[in-house]
Amino acid sequence: MSTVNLTNEDSEYMQTGDMDITYISTSSQQTELPGGAEQQTMRVYLRVRPFSKEELSDKEDQDCVGIENSQTVTLNAPKGSATMKSSEKGIGMSLHKFSFSQIFGPEIMQSELFEATVKSQMSDFVDGKNALLFSYGVTNAGKTYTIQGTPKQPGILPRVLDATFQYIGGHLYDGMDLKPYLRNDAQYLDPDQVKQEKSAKAAIFASVKEECAPLGSSGLESCSALTSNPTEADSSQFALWVAFFEIYNECVYDLLQASLGSKSKKRSSLRVCDDGAGNCYVKDLRWINIHTLGEASKVLQFGNKNRSAAATKMNQSSSRSHSIFTIKLLKIEDGTVTQISEFSLCDLAGSERCNKTKTFGERLKEAGNINNSLLILGKCLTALHNNQTEGMKNSYIPFRESKLTKLFQAVFCGKGRASMIVNINQCASTYDETLHVMKFSAVAKQVVLVIPDKPLKSLGPCLVGRDGKPLVKNGVIDTEALESFLSEEELLDEEDEANMSLAIENELANMIESLRTKLLAERKRNLVQEMEIRNEMGDAMLQQLMESEELRSRQIEKLKESFEEKLENTFEIYKDAIREHAYQSAMNNLEDDYVPVDEFIAEQDKVETLKRKVSELEGLTSSIRGLCAVPTVDQSCQTHPYKSTEAAGDDQCKHLYKEKCAIDSICEDKQQLIISLEKRLKDINVTLQNARDGYLAKSSELDDLQRKSKDQTESMEETLWQNVENDREIASLKSELAKLSQKPPVQLKPKRGLLANIRDAVTSPRKTSTSRTPRKTDRTAHP
Ligand code: ADP
Ligand code: MG
């Protein structure tokens, strides 16, 4: 441990305009306000963690933190820190002085810290008032060590629980049938509900190993008893309920819900609700009734396990969430709850500002939310301070802007007492963050809380307005006292005041003036830089948008082409199949009745020659008949002079007649053949007609298919139009983006032109693509 030496090496920086800045100190001073209210500053303590062995071997010990006395600490920027660099440029200081309600060095024991910080809040708590304790600081500064501690070195939480059990003594209420409800109320549980409570508790205890309890009572040397234990004669009893939850990324998660077993299941977050009287509470938060310190230890262990499991599952560090352990003390008299008080211990997320390498997507959002809730906490404390110092000026207190401040709004507004333990390490490598922490807490510790004189005897919640200010003011803040408390003289050390001559004062005034101009210049530079960064970011985003857009349109084009090709192919296949089918069915019909043409012609020729023969023979027959008629008419002539010729003629006639008969029968046969052939011909004609009909039906089917494909192309067109619509939306978003990046008035004109150009460049290829679309679909519709 070291104190700061301003001579030798530091004098150089002193000469370049360095000076001490003392942040306003708070004392534990209390002022009686008219109306009985008690005004008290919120106590802010500082705890400086000892170096670890690794830090010492890494040469982290560079005398950065100097504890001057129990209330003042000096931060001295090490070489290489950003603070030192800017100080060398004449901006900012290399040496800072801060005051706290009390400062605890590395040697301080857990028990001493408890005695010196939370003991008075402890008395409030058992007395029916609310208490809130924050641990604030960067990761690895000792926040969790301060709140929870280790089995051998128990922290504040086990000590609060231990002190509460000590206070309760034999007055513990055994039943589990009176449970906290909403924020400030209690409810009766029926036997079934009590059973449920018991099984929930048993389930938690069953999954916790006995041996590694973090709140080992082994490490708890009994602390000095609280002042007012309930007397033996007192019939009142006490029930103790605890809850453990975390706020991560502005979502509240119950650490006592055993829902993390299944790997795929996402943690469900809980809602923060208003009980109608301005008090916020976590809806459906699990409360566990505890009877011993050991039980509380198991609950804490269960919650811690849940917390780290959730963090590991999401690949996050648990230091990014605020974890809150709340103890509710119910005072029970004659079977009814007559008083409820709560003690919340809040292990805040690491206050380090977001790392540049992690500022993407979810991480950026997360970092934003964590820093935001701490920022809102700071803002609330500042606003509270302003309201009280500037004559109750109604400046807006943004309690509702983060879950954390929303939940503890009532405590800040007088329904209890809040305190903060700021944890820092002394490492040179994290000096800048440590300085940031100190500056934040310098604001925090100026907050003045108004504590109502009369404790809230009834369970009725105090009415608090939307701005977080109590509606019922039972006291006006004594602005005069406050002003004198924060007056100029208070800002300066007594010694400084004595030594300060007029000349120095003038010199200081000049210095302030020059610093002011430097500050202005710096601010201007920062503004320009910010604008440049904004522009760069805007351009980069635009570029990215354009690229993704181009990729998308290319993909769509490809998709369209492949679709068209597929359609055409299917179409061809259908056409071929139909043609094949028509041909096949025609062939099938033909095959049955098929007569080769040659055969048909030969047959016809035969018929022709036969016909000719028949007509010849007919001619011959008629001539023969003419000849035969004479002897028939006059038979005597036949036997008379021409007897020999008559016999020869008769023979020939007979022969001819026979021949004629044979030819007649042949003719008849041929005639029948002709008839059958003609019939066949007719049949063939019918078959052909059928084939034609079949073909026509198929072609109408083909038409249907064509119509269908046309419909498909139309729907495709519609999709494309939708795309165009989307493109337009993107374009409008882009223009918004462009507007946003044009925000600085100086850059307005040229930037708008540039962005417009880029926008045109983005939109024009899209236009051509849309005009191309119908042409393509036309082609596919009418192949
Ligand atoms: P935080 O919660 O702020 O991230 P931790 O409480 O986890 O930091 O502390 C970081 C480490 O430093 C732990 O190993 C812790 O045991 C140790 N540590 C913190 N404060 C002290 C202290 N006052 N004395 C001894 N060891 C400490
Ligand atoms: Mg921690």
Coordinates of all heavy atoms in Angstrom, one line a residue, residues 47-50 52 55 105-106 108 110 135 137-147 150 319 347-348 350 423, ligand 1:
R47 N -13.8 -0.3 -1.1 CA -13.0 -1.4 -0.6 C -11.9 -1.7 -1.6 O -12.2 -1.9 -2.8 CB -13.9 -2.7 -0.4 CG -13.0 -3.8 0.2 CD -13.8 -5.1 0.4 NE -13.2 -5.9 1.4 CZ -13.6 -7.1 1.8 NH1 -14.6 -7.7 1.1 NH2 -13.0 -7.8 2.7
V48 N -10.7 -1.7 -1.2 CA -9.6 -1.9 -2.1 C -9.1 -3.3 -1.9 O -8.8 -3.7 -0.8 CB -8.4 -0.9 -1.8 CG1 -7.3 -1.1 -2.8 CG2 -8.9 0.5 -1.8
R49 N -9.1 -4.1 -2.9 CA -8.8 -5.5 -2.9 C -7.2 -5.7 -2.8 O -6.5 -4.9 -3.5 CB -9.3 -6.2 -4.1 CG -8.8 -7.6 -4.4 CD -9.6 -8.3 -5.4 NE -9.2 -8.1 -6.8 CZ -8.1 -8.5 -7.4 NH1 -7.2 -9.0 -6.6 NH2 -7.9 -8.2 -8.6
P50 N -6.7 -6.7 -2.1 CA -5.3 -6.9 -2.1 C -4.8 -7.5 -3.4 O -5.6 -8.0 -4.2 CB -5.1 -7.9 -1.0 CG -6.4 -8.6 -0.8 CD -7.4 -7.6 -1.2
S52 N -3.2 -10.1 -6.0 CA -3.0 -11.5 -5.9 C -1.6 -11.8 -6.3 O -0.9 -10.9 -6.8 CB -4.0 -12.2 -7.0 OG -3.5 -11.9 -8.3
E55 N -0.8 -11.1 -9.9 CA -0.7 -9.6 -10.2 C 0.6 -9.0 -9.8 O 1.2 -8.2 -10.5 CB -1.9 -8.9 -9.5 CG -3.2 -9.1 -10.2 CD -4.4 -8.8 -9.3 OE1 -4.3 -8.4 -8.2 OE2 -5.6 -9.0 -9.8
G105 N -9.1 -0.7 3.3 CA -7.9 -1.1 2.6 C -7.8 -2.6 2.4 O -8.7 -3.4 2.9
P106 N -6.8 -3.1 1.8 CA -6.6 -4.5 1.5 C -6.6 -5.4 2.7 O -6.9 -6.6 2.6 CB -5.3 -4.6 0.7 CG -4.9 -3.2 0.4 CD -5.6 -2.3 1.3
I108 N -8.3 -5.2 5.4 CA -9.6 -5.3 6.2 C -10.2 -6.7 6.1 O -10.2 -7.4 5.1 CB -10.6 -4.2 5.7 CG1 -11.5 -3.9 6.8 CG2 -11.4 -4.7 4.5 CD1 -11.0 -2.8 7.8
Q110 N -13.4 -9.5 6.5 CA -14.8 -9.5 6.2 C -15.7 -9.1 7.4 O -16.6 -8.4 7.2 CB -15.2 -11.0 5.8 CG -14.5 -11.5 4.5 CD -15.2 -11.0 3.2 OE1 -15.3 -9.8 3.0 NE2 -15.6 -12.0 2.4
S135 N -23.0 -3.9 -4.6 CA -21.5 -3.9 -4.7 C -21.2 -3.6 -6.2 O -21.8 -4.1 -7.1 CB -21.0 -5.3 -4.4 OG -21.3 -6.3 -5.3
G137 N -18.4 -2.3 -9.2 CA -17.0 -2.3 -9.6 C -16.8 -3.1 -10.8 O -17.7 -3.8 -11.3
V138 N -15.5 -3.1 -11.3 CA -15.2 -3.9 -12.5 C -15.2 -5.4 -12.1 O -15.1 -5.7 -10.9 CB -13.9 -3.5 -13.2 CG1 -14.0 -2.1 -13.7 CG2 -12.7 -3.6 -12.3
T139 N -15.2 -6.2 -13.1 CA -15.1 -7.7 -12.9 C -13.7 -7.9 -12.2 O -12.7 -7.3 -12.6 CB -15.2 -8.4 -14.2 OG1 -16.5 -8.1 -14.7 CG2 -15.1 -9.9 -14.0
N140 N -13.7 -8.8 -11.3 CA -12.4 -9.2 -10.6 C -12.0 -8.2 -9.6 O -10.8 -8.1 -9.2 CB -11.3 -9.5 -11.6 CG -10.2 -10.3 -11.0 OD1 -10.4 -11.1 -10.1 ND2 -9.0 -10.1 -11.5
A141 N -12.9 -7.3 -9.2 CA -12.5 -6.3 -8.2 C -12.9 -6.7 -6.8 O -12.5 -6.1 -5.8 CB -13.2 -5.0 -8.5
G142 N -13.7 -7.8 -6.7 CA -14.0 -8.3 -5.3 C -15.5 -8.1 -4.9 O -15.8 -8.2 -3.7
K143 N -16.3 -7.9 -5.9 CA -17.8 -7.7 -5.5 C -18.4 -8.9 -4.9 O -19.0 -8.9 -3.8 CB -18.5 -7.3 -6.8 CG -18.1 -6.0 -7.5 CD -19.0 -5.7 -8.6 CE -18.9 -6.7 -9.8 NZ -17.6 -6.8 -10.4
T144 N -18.2 -10.1 -5.6 CA -18.8 -11.3 -5.1 C -18.2 -11.7 -3.8 O -18.8 -12.2 -2.9 CB -18.7 -12.4 -6.2 OG1 -19.2 -11.9 -7.4 CG2 -19.5 -13.6 -5.8
Y145 N -16.9 -11.5 -3.7 CA -16.1 -11.8 -2.4 C -16.7 -11.0 -1.3 O -16.9 -11.4 -0.2 CB -14.7 -11.5 -2.6 CG -13.8 -11.8 -1.4 CD1 -13.3 -13.1 -1.2 CD2 -13.5 -10.8 -0.4 CE1 -12.5 -13.3 -0.1 CE2 -12.8 -11.1 0.7 CZ -12.2 -12.4 0.8 OH -11.5 -12.6 1.9
T146 N -17.1 -9.7 -1.6 CA -17.6 -8.8 -0.6 C -19.0 -9.3 -0.2 O -19.4 -9.4 1.0 CB -17.7 -7.4 -1.1 OG1 -16.3 -7.0 -1.3 CG2 -18.3 -6.5 -0.1
I147 N -19.9 -9.6 -1.2 CA -21.3 -10.0 -0.9 C -21.3 -11.4 -0.3 O -21.9 -11.7 0.8 CB -22.1 -9.9 -2.1 CG1 -22.2 -8.5 -2.6 CG2 -23.5 -10.5 -1.9 CD1 -23.2 -7.6 -2.0
T150 N -16.2 -16.4 0.9 CA -15.8 -17.8 0.7 C -16.2 -18.6 2.0 O -16.5 -18.0 3.0 CB -14.3 -18.0 0.5 OG1 -13.7 -17.4 1.7 CG2 -13.8 -17.2 -0.7
S319 N -20.4 -12.5 -15.0 CA -20.2 -11.1 -14.5 C -20.9 -10.1 -15.3 O -20.9 -8.9 -15.0 CB -18.7 -10.9 -14.6 OG -18.3 -10.8 -16.0
D347 N -25.4 -7.8 -6.3 CA -24.0 -8.0 -6.8 C -24.1 -7.5 -8.3 O -24.6 -8.2 -9.2 CB -23.6 -9.5 -6.7 CG -22.1 -9.7 -7.1 OD1 -21.5 -8.8 -7.6 OD2 -21.7 -10.8 -6.8
L348 N -23.7 -6.3 -8.5 CA -23.9 -5.7 -9.9 C -23.0 -6.3 -10.9 O -21.9 -6.9 -10.6 CB -23.7 -4.2 -9.8 CG -24.7 -3.3 -9.0 CD1 -24.2 -1.9 -8.9 CD2 -26.1 -3.4 -9.7
G350 N -20.2 -6.4 -13.8 CA -19.0 -5.7 -14.0 C -19.2 -4.4 -14.7 O -19.8 -4.4 -15.7
N423 N -16.0 -1.6 -5.1 CA -14.8 -2.5 -5.1 C -13.8 -2.1 -6.1 O -14.2 -1.9 -7.3 CB -15.2 -3.9 -5.3 CG -16.0 -4.5 -4.1 OD1 -17.2 -4.4 -4.1 ND2 -15.3 -5.0 -3.1
Ligands
ADP1 P1 -15.9 -9.8 -8.8 O1 -17.1 -10.4 -8.2 O2 -15.9 -8.3 -8.7 O3 -15.7 -10.1 -10.3 P2 -14.5 -11.5 -7.1 O4 -15.2 -11.3 -5.8 O5 -14.8 -12.8 -7.8 O6 -14.6 -10.3 -8.1 O7 -12.9 -11.5 -6.7 C1 -11.9 -11.8 -7.6 C2 -10.9 -12.6 -6.9 O8 -10.2 -11.8 -5.9 C3 -11.4 -13.8 -6.2 O9 -10.5 -14.9 -6.3 C4 -11.5 -13.4 -4.7 O10 -11.4 -14.5 -3.8 C5 -10.4 -12.4 -4.6 N1 -10.6 -11.3 -3.7 C6 -11.5 -10.3 -3.9 N2 -11.5 -9.5 -2.8 C7 -10.6 -10.0 -1.9 C8 -10.2 -9.6 -0.6 N3 -10.6 -8.5 0.0 N4 -9.3 -10.4 0.0 C9 -8.8 -11.5 -0.6 N5 -9.2 -11.9 -1.8 C10 -10.1 -11.2 -2.5

